Amino acid sequence: EETVKISREEIPEGIMVMVKKGSTLPVDKAARAEMAVKLAQFGFIDPNTLFEELGYGNEEERTKDLFEWLRVTGKIMPEQPAAPAGAGGGAAGAAGASREGGEGATQAAQLARLKEIMQSDKFKALPDDQKQIIISKAREITNAIKGAR
């Protein structure tokens, strides 16, 4: 954890110094917290990870409290219970088919949202290193969706 500064005059003749593209200095806590907030705004990380990156303790409990608050305030709707497995042909089969179609629709919505984010002015205004982090996360999401198909 030491920074060394070298001037051009200190480098012997014939030695080439190369910096790997995309390499950066270690990120401090404030920068990590700022990046976590930006990723959360774009929907790229979950609340649990956000609380962890911000340095809060007991992230799981905080996440549960957040979802409960969002439910109580009407900002999100409670999940509907799934049909029990083997509950008979018609209703269970229809629920299963509906869920599969819903998953494809959700994946399509995720891909559309990623495209919208990448084309937004907010994204374009980010520094290149932050764009790279978001692009990397977007690739992970895209690959996960492709793998699920």
Side-chain angles (χ1 to χ4, degrees):
E1 300 292 331
E2 184 179 327
T3 301
V4 177
K5 292 184 180 183
I6 300 174
S7 69
R8 181 177 289 269
E9 294 78 34
E10 295 174 290
I11 301 172
E13 189 69 32
I15 299 292
M16 183 184 292
V17 176
M18 297 175 61
V19 177
K20 183 178 176 183
K21 182 179 179 181
S23 65
T24 61
L25 294 172
V27 181
D28 64 11
K29 285 183 179 183
R32 283 184 66 101
E34 182 182 340
M35 178 54 64
V37 169
K38 286 181 181 177
L39 289 172
Q41 287 171 337
F42 284 121
F44 284 152
I45 61 172
D46 60 279
N48 197 48
T49 304
L50 174 62
F51 290 134
E52 184 179 315
E53 291 295 321
L54 291 175
Y56 290 109
N58 202 4
E59 297 89 8
E60 289 180 23
E61 188 64 32
R62 286 180 182 271
T63 301
K64 287 178 189 173
D65 291 345
L66 171 63
F67 280 110
E68 179 61 18
W69 178 79
L70 290 170
R71 187 190 62 74
V72 168
T73 58
K75 296 180 191 289
I76 60 171
M77 299 301 293
E79 288 186 33
Q80 299 299 320
S98 171
R99 256 194 317 275
E100 289 170 13
E103 183 176 325
T106 301
Q107 291 172 344
Q110 286 176 326
L111 292 173
R113 179 70 178 132
L114 285 174
K115 183 177 180 182
E116 178 185 325
I117 289 168
M118 300 297 210
Q119 293 175 346
S120 73
D121 291 336
K122 228 179 195 183
F123 176 78
K124 291 175 184 173
L126 290 173
D128 287 342
D129 60 328
Q130 292 179 358
K131 285 182 192 172
Q132 288 303 317
I133 292 170
I134 293 171
I135 290 168
S136 174
K137 189 66 178 172
R139 282 188 183 125
E140 287 177 28
I141 293 168
T142 304
N143 290 337
I145 289 171
K146 288 179 182 176
R149 289 184 175 173

